[in-house]
Amino acid sequence: MSKKKYPKLPDLGARTDEITIFAGPCSVESEEQFDEVAKTCSKLGLHWVRGGAFKPRTNPHSFQGLGEEGLKIMHAGGKKYGLKTLTEVMDSEHISLVQRYCDGIQVGARNFQNFSLLKNIGIATSKTGTMVLFKRGFAGTIAEWLAATEDITQCGNDNVVLCERGLRTFETATRFTLDISAVPVIHKQSLFPICIDVSHPAGQRDLVPSLAKAAVAAGADSLMIEVHPDPASALSDGAQQLTPAQFETLVGELRELAAVFGKKIV
Ligand code: PEP
Ligand code: MN
């Protein structure tokens, strides 16, 4: 384990009294779709909106994302509502393209040990200090996760947020098994903030509120929640996405819970 001390992070004040929510659609599908979600985030006083433009799909026949067109939609929506934008980079050749349009870079679970991608992101963001949200692989240990994080930080960018998004276990009642203990373990073993993606482990929208409350209660620094104006028509992950109205209700409940710990949701 590295003993290196990381600085306080500019984008997601690590271990502060703020819990940052990254909400937005699984995939960016159209201007109208993204606009509605971004409008909801801004109305709730959040700072970020997320969306996928390059999608890692298990089946190559599934929707692959709008690519640059999706990035443009995100950029315009973020600008319109004064929100920072977060999107996944799957390939080193897209890093500079994504940096042109978005404020934060997500590394997905499937690229958890794509060391050349991690290093290239570290190099490309070393001057800008762009926030990198680094997801744990669904079969990755915490030690492997922290080791892989150094592939980014050693290249010069310490602005990394770790994101737990569920593990593959024998359990099939949920899509993945959320490792809530990653929160205290990461807090104990590192100085990085930890985000809990509550949508991908749930796989079903009715489970999302409980996981989100558990994450806040456990001390998570951030949450990721997928939101879609019409989940039934979503081109990816429809079953787990909340409607804007459901999301608003949940954020209200999370605010009350966060206040118990002297924290606020942003
Ligand atoms: C996502 O955030 O949309 C995503 C694909 O997540 P993961 O890499 O955790 O599967
Ligand atoms: Mn998704």
Side-chain angles (χ1 to χ4, degrees):
M1 190 68 47
S2 167
K3 292 278 183 291
K4 186 173 172 206
K5 292 274 181 269
Y6 293 92
K8 211 170 171 93
L9 305 177
D11 277 324
L12 216 76
R15 318 285 164 78
T16 68
D17 59 355
E18 290 186 346
I19 299 172
T20 300
I21 297 193
F22 298 105
C26 178
S27 298
V28 176
E29 298 169 6
S30 70
E31 222 174 281
E32 299 69 40
Q33 174 237 24
F34 191 73
D35 189 276
E36 190 164 340
V37 180
K39 186 166 62 185
T40 304
C41 293
S42 118
K43 182 178 148 196
L44 291 169
L46 305 183
H47 295 174
W48 287 82
V49 61
R50 67 145 275 161
F54 297 98
K55 295 304 299 177
R57 304 308 300 279
T58 306
N59 185 333
H61 303 291
S62 303
F63 178 61
Q64 302 290 304
L66 294 180
E68 186 169 2
E69 179 57 27
L71 299 176
K72 286 182 181 166
I73 291 172
M74 289 190 75
H75 182 72
K79 212 166 152 196
K80 179 172 171 187
Y81 294 105
L83 297 167
K84 293 186 194 180
T85 52
L86 172 68
T87 200
E88 177 167 354
V89 172
M90 286 168 53
D91 198 305
S92 290
E93 76 184 38
H94 294 141
I95 299 172
S96 61
L97 181 71
V98 163
Q99 279 189 297
R100 231 178 289 150
Y101 294 105
C102 291
D103 301 291
I105 292 177
Q106 175 173 322
V107 179
R110 288 156 191 83
N111 276 312
F112 170 68
Q113 288 186 314
N114 183 342
F115 301 117
S116 63
L117 176 65
L118 298 176
K119 287 188 178 84
N120 285 330
I121 288 175
I123 292 165
T125 59
S126 62
K127 290 211 169 62
T128 54
T130 301
M131 186 196 73
V132 180
L133 183 127
F134 180 32
K135 287 199 172 193
R136 180 182 184 180
F138 39 71
T141 66
I142 287 178
E144 287 166 342
W145 193 12
L146 289 172
T149 301
E150 289 198 46
D151 281 278
I152 305 170
T153 58
Q154 278 185 350
C155 294
N157 183 9
D158 286 342
N159 192 3
V160 177
V161 176
L162 300 176
C163 181
E164 157 67 30
R165 46 79 71 215
L167 303 172
R168 179 153 286 163
T169 68
F170 55 81
E171 183 55 73
T172 54
T174 49
R175 189 174 179 194
F176 295 95
T177 300
L178 179 61
D179 180 12
I180 201 77
S181 58
V183 175
V185 174
I186 289 298
H187 280 172
K188 195 170 160 183
Q189 297 193 4
S190 85
L191 291 171
F192 294 106
I194 177 153
C195 175
I196 297 285
D197 171 350
V198 293
S199 299
H200 291 89
Q204 307 147 62
R205 79 180 55 78
D206 58 330
L207 303 182
V208 165
S210 296
L211 299 190
K213 289 170 199 166
V216 169
D221 304 290
S222 168
L223 300 178
M224 176 171 283
I225 305 174
E226 287 189 338
V227 180
H228 191 291
D230 179 19
S233 72
L235 297 179
S236 59
D237 288 350
Q240 70 197 26
Q241 302 200 63
L242 300 184
T243 62
Q246 289 166 334
F247 178 60
E248 278 192 55
T249 303
L250 175 57
V251 170
E253 291 171 358
L254 294 175
R255 286 214 152 104
E256 286 182 35
L257 181 57
V260 171
F261 301 102
K263 293 183 178 177
K264 53 181 187 289
I265 304 276
V266 296

